Amino acid sequence: VQLQASGGGLVHNGGSLKLSCTTSGFNFNYYAISWFRQAPGKEREGVSCISGHDGSTKYADSVKGRFTASRVNGQNVVHLEANGLKPEDTAVYFCAASIPVAAAGCTSPNAFLQVLYEEWGQGTQVTVSS
């Protein structure tokens, strides 16, 4: 089982990035794939969730209207398009996979409960300069 996050980089305030989470070794359609991020000195927090079970999505309030998650089922990839980036979006971004979150749907209150995620990828750094 493998999740590979990529697409991070350095952008200016207001810029855009497209992150990708490429997965292998498991049945992609059974899982919810979420993005989490961790800024220096802060706890890791949920950013977006997209379920392979019912297609439901969820976003952190801080990114609603700016970030969009999408699944490419034939390629087992989840993208996170991040627009209107702000310096406070600077963090290491991780993708993770969960069967229980997929079953409950990403609209579940527990969609960002990290203990429900069985598989994690390494992070990709996003830096937004002011």
Side-chain angles (χ1 to χ4, degrees), residues 32-50:
I33 304 294
S34 290
W35 288 93
F36 294 82
R37 68 185 181 186
Q38 188 166 22
K42 295 187 176 181
E43 293 186 353
R44 190 164 57 186
E45 63 177 358
V47 176
S48 71
C49 176
I50 185 164

Side-chain angles (χ1 to χ4, degrees), residues 45-77:
E45 63 177 358
V47 176
S48 71
C49 176
I50 185 164
S51 173
H53 181 65
D54 61 5
S56 56
T57 58
K58 183 174 185 173
Y59 298 92
D61 289 343
S62 58
V63 306
K64 279 181 184 175
R66 300 188 297 123
F67 289 17
T68 303
S70 60
R71 298 175 69 102
V72 185
N73 289 333
Q75 298 177 9
N76 292 357
V77 173

